[in-house]
Structures are given as structure tokens and as C-alpha cells.
Amino acid sequence: MARLEKRWDARRTGLEPISCEVSTTVAASRERVWTFLVHPRSAQLLDPTVVKAFRVPGTPMAGVGEQHCTVLRQGDILAAHLTELVAIDAPRSIAFRSLTVPGGFLSSYGLEEVHGGCLLTYRVEGQVAAGSGAAAERAARSNATEALTMLRAVVESGAILPPPD
């Protein structure tokens, strides 16, 4: 019945839900991973298309409502992407809502202490055009896996970020 409801909603709205979850173990303390994860400028170390990343002035700092702006280079064009922190349980979990990507995308991170480091779990969910869900989920999983692999490498390298703006 749930599958039928999803198909009906996709027909009615023209959208279908997607979600994916990936995890990796980082050989660092949960606090170190957390500090890196919540820093807006970490995006510049994780994605070569990111030109600049910063906390949006005038938004709350280190709490619900804090917004981050990421400026990306897409070919010859610069594009700004805004996210807003919507849930935080330091240093266990954090969730961001995209303000500029259609589909109501929500990204969340969970951090769990494990032997030898921190288990970092990333989950993303949102909506895409009906009929494109399977391909979008594959792309989201691939992108998420790549991002966590890069994050693990950067954190384990000992990289240090300046204090947040």
C-alpha cells in the first residue's frame, strides 16, 4: 500500500522522494570530527568546486538557525548555495536543510564513538522529479560516499581550520 501511495503522490506532485545513508569510520576523536564538520570553511577542503564558504552574518552562531553560504564554481558560473542548521545535539548529531536546492533536501550527520575513532554516518533525503528517483539516489549515494571519503582523509591528515567567521 505504501508503494502505491508513493506512486500516486509522484503523479499528483510530479515529485518522488529519495534518500540514502552512508557511513565511514574516521581515525580521530568524535570531538575532532565534530569540530571539522560544523565549520563552514571545511567545504573548501572537501570540494574543489567550492570557492568560498562562510557563516551568514546575522544568523545565530553554533545553533539552530545558523546559515552557511557556499559559493561554487560551475563551469564559468559562480553559484551560491545556502543551508540552515535545523537540529543539533553536539557532538552527536547535526542536520542542515537546503534553502536553495529544490526538493526540500535535508542532510544529517551522526557521530558515534567507536574503538579506534568515530563512526560518521551521513544521511540525505529530499524530492526529485518523478521518474528520476533511482538515478538521483545512485548519484546521491556516490556523492555522499566520495564526500565522506574526502572528509575522513582531511580530518585524519591533521588539517586545522581557522576560527569560524
Side-chain angles (χ1 to χ4, degrees):
M1 188 66 153
R3 198 171 98 196
L4 183 59
E5 286 177 15
K6 283 183 183 179
R7 287 175 50 196
W8 177 253
D9 284 345
R11 275 192 194 157
R12 188 176 49 79
T13 64
L15 300 171
E16 67 179 284
I18 66 161
S19 67
C20 77
E21 182 175 295
V22 296
S23 297
T24 191
T25 300
V26 182
S29 70
R30 177 170 63 181
E31 288 72 21
R32 170 135 172 78
V33 176
W34 175 265
T35 300
F36 188 85
L37 189 63
V38 299
H39 198 299
R41 290 178 54 195
S42 64
Q44 290 175 264
L45 296 176
L46 299 176
D47 185 344
T49 67
V50 174
V51 176
K52 184 162 180 68
F54 56 93
R55 185 182 67 80
V56 176
T59 64
M61 190 168 208
V64 171
E66 176 177 291
Q67 294 180 1
H68 296 176
C69 179
T70 306
V71 180
L72 306 116
R73 180 170 305 283
Q74 298 173 332
D76 292 336
I77 298 171
L78 291 178
H81 177 64
L82 291 172
T83 56
E84 180 177 33
L85 193 125
V86 294
I88 185 169
D89 180 16
R92 292 173 195 84
S93 63
I94 191 165
F96 294 94
R97 175 174 53 107
S98 173
L99 301 176
T100 51
V101 173
F105 276 86
L106 182 69
S107 302
S108 59
Y109 298 87
L111 295 88
E112 183 182 331
E113 290 183 54
V114 295
H115 179 69
C118 172
L119 176 65
L120 177 61
T121 301
Y122 173 74
R123 179 173 176 78
V124 64
E125 52 191 87
Q127 295 192 350
V128 297
S132 65
E137 264 188 33
R138 280 192 303 277
R141 183 171 309 285
S142 175
N143 292 340
T145 300
E146 187 177 315
L148 283 191
T149 300
M150 181 64 82
L151 187 142
R152 183 182 67 228
V154 170
V155 170
E156 290 177 354
S157 77
I160 298 174
L161 293 164
D165 299 334

